[in-house]
DNA sequence: ACCTGAACACCGTTCAAGT
DNA sequence: ACCTGAACACCGTTCAAGT
């Protein structure tokens, strides 16, 4: 036996951008946005914090890369069929579910405008809206609105998840607390907010989200007829 | 003259929640999101960092309070007239401009779901949508969609402003850089994104934003007719 | 009641030194 | 080429001590 076993030479597997991103995702899923730390990460990878900087420029690039990995998988797992509106709905729902499962993705997405993860979403959305027969001029309007809406919902879901975690509640307990606070607002000043407090308590986020997508798609449709 | 001049006893004016919030806004406007620091703030107010904690629970409460002050002023400065859709447009544009002027408001808004600044927006939006004659059931759908859209655009604008600042560019130079990056994407994989790179370069954010509001309002309208 | 400021337990990032 | 880990320049927050 001329050499020692190859695998134990340095580390189980040597550091790579990919393994760093994978460990980051795990850390983020397990302990939320501020669970991602160069120290925690390097401990998990049995290195020093400096080693990570050989593969990744800085923390924001790391967060965006982790976000991009999730978004890429999500889009890949959402095939496009023949019915265009259904494709848009499926894409939107896929993203919604991904953010629900990884709340940090929602805020990472918002922090990296123009970067890869957003481009993937933009492209898919754009192709489908084009297939809808929307003309050049109105296309960006439709795609931009859908994108902003999806990011807006995603951002709020991310914040809900983060706040719930900070207060050691689950999501529904947190929404319950919001509803309770809203029902105690002055009815003369905040009649509407009070009136929907009940809805907040027992609504299905996912259903509401899809209703918004459909509402926007209706608007796109009615613009074509003008 | 029995006493020393009153004003020089302690400080020009004693510390208060209000003065702390005001100084925070100034700091945030001047140096962006991470310009708000308990040390910078206490230096500006000529106190120690601990003094601030007597008036405010923690940093996130401080950020939300600063955000709320801007939102409250903005809404107050946007009176409602008789034409409901115009009121919704005015409110949305007022918020857009406020976020444009204070980019940090966009991300502060997203970080405090269910809190006061969001409630103010929700309430105004809800009252107007109700006045539009939308029935109970569809009301939340319309309001929620508008709110998410506005927050989504606000969050992206905040991120654009923040990134531009970090790279010492102004907003349009930053968008220019995004457009340049997009035009170099592989045309086989990213045809749509490439095709709108030009639009990103010379569009007017404000016009696009309003187009989205109108698109959503069209969707609300067409749902009533079903 | 309100303020002071040192101290604590962290951060992200850098960089000389190692292999 | 890649990794190590101490060091730097910060953070938010707490708290004994002051007025």
């Amino acid at each position: 036996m001329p050499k020692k076993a190859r695998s134990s030479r340095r580390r189980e597997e040597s550091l790579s951008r990919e393994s760093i991103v994978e460990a980051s995702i795990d850390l983020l899923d397990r302990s939320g946005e501020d669970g991602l730390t160069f120290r925690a990460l390097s401990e998990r990878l049995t290195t020093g914090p400096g080693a990570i900087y050989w593969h990744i420029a800085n923390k924001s690039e790391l967060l965006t890369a982790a976000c991009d990995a999730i978004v890429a998988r999500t889009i890949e797992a959402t095939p496009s069929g023949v019915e265009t509106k259904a494709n848009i709905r499926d894409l939107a729902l896929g993203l919604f579910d991904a953010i629900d499962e990884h709340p940090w993705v929602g805020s990472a997405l918002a922090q990296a405008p123009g970067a890869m993860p957003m481009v993937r979403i933009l492209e898919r959305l754009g192709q489908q809206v084009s297939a809808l027969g929307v003309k050049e001029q109105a296309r960006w309007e439709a795609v931009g609105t859908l994108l902003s809406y999806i990011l807006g919902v995603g951002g709020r879901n991310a914040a809900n998840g983060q706040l719930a975690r900070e207060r050691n509640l689950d999501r529904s307990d947190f929404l319950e607390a919001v509803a309770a606070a809203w029902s105690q607002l002055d009815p003369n000043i905040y009649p509407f907010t009070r009136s929907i407090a009940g809805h907040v308590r027992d609504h299905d986020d996912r259903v509401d989200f899809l209703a918004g997508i459909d509402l926007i798609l209706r608007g796109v449709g009615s613009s074509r007829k003008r």
Side-chain angles (χ1 to χ4, degrees), chain A residues 100-217:
Chain A
D100 197 56
E101 205 183 337
H102 314 276
W104 53 270
V105 169
S107 66
L109 222 35
Q111 281 165 54
M116 224 29 228
M118 225 184 74
V119 167
R120 287 184 209 277
I121 299 171
L122 180 67
E123 183 64 33
R124 251 305 169 95
L125 231 34
Q127 287 181 12
Q128 295 302 323
V129 170
S130 303
L132 218 52
V134 177
K135 283 283 157 271
E136 181 85 41
Q137 163 70 357
R139 219 179 271 170
W140 167 246
E141 191 181 306
V143 175
T145 305
L146 283 168
L147 183 62
S148 292
Y149 173 72
I150 292 171
L151 293 182
V153 173
R156 190 152 76 266
N157 276 357
N160 283 338
Q162 173 72 14
L163 283 177
R165 152 171 268 125
E166 275 169 22
R167 294 171 200 180
N168 278 51
L169 302 169
D170 62 18
R171 254 182 75 86
S172 69
D173 288 341
F174 174 72
L175 290 180
E176 176 65 38
V178 168
W182 284 6
S183 1
Q184 289 183 7
L185 291 168
D186 182 335
N188 295 311
I189 310 181
Y190 299 101
F192 178 80
T193 306
R194 276 182 61 113
S195 78
I196 58 162
H199 179 85
V200 167
R201 206 185 310 262
D202 40 48
H203 72 155
D204 182 343
D205 272 347
R206 209 165 178 272
V207 169
D208 286 359
F209 171 68
L210 202 55
I213 295 284
D214 286 337
L215 176 53
I216 295 172
L217 288 177

Side-chain angles (χ1 to χ4, degrees), chain A residues 12-185:
Chain A
E12 209 56 38
E13 281 175 38
S14 85
L15 223 49
S16 71
R17 189 182 159 96
E18 212 203 352
S19 63
I20 293 172
V21 167
E22 227 49 49
S24 300
I25 291 173
D26 215 76
L27 224 42
L28 286 161
D29 283 344
R30 218 187 288 279
S31 12
E33 288 207 51
D34 32 44
L36 181 61
T37 279
F38 277 85
R39 271 161 254 253
L41 191 55
S42 62
E43 193 171 349
R44 223 166 157 323
L45 294 166
T46 52
T47 5
I52 294 163
Y53 281 88
W54 183 263
H55 302 273
I56 258 127
N58 53 45
K59 184 166 179 178
S60 103
E61 188 188 304
L62 180 57
L63 186 63
T64 302
C67 174
D68 193 44
I70 302 288
V71 170
R73 271 170 223 172
T74 303
I75 289 188
E76 219 169 314
T78 314
S80 293
V82 284
E83 225 280 86
T84 309
K85 287 206 180 184
N87 289 339
I88 294 175
R89 261 188 224 107
D90 287 346
L91 173 60
L93 271 186
L95 289 168
F96 181 90
D97 290 340
I99 293 174
D100 197 56
E101 205 183 337
H102 314 276
W104 53 270
V105 169
S107 66
L109 222 35
Q111 281 165 54
M116 224 29 228
M118 225 184 74
V119 167
R120 287 184 209 277
I121 299 171
L122 180 67
E123 183 64 33
R124 251 305 169 95
L125 231 34
Q127 287 181 12
Q128 295 302 323
V129 170
S130 303
L132 218 52
V134 177
K135 283 283 157 271
E136 181 85 41
Q137 163 70 357
R139 219 179 271 170
W140 167 246
E141 191 181 306
V143 175
T145 305
L146 283 168
L147 183 62
S148 292
Y149 173 72
I150 292 171
L151 293 182
V153 173
R156 190 152 76 266
N157 276 357
N160 283 338
Q162 173 72 14
L163 283 177
R165 152 171 268 125
E166 275 169 22
R167 294 171 200 180
N168 278 51
L169 302 169
D170 62 18
R171 254 182 75 86
S172 69
D173 288 341
F174 174 72
L175 290 180
E176 176 65 38
V178 168
W182 284 6
S183 1
Q184 289 183 7
L185 291 168

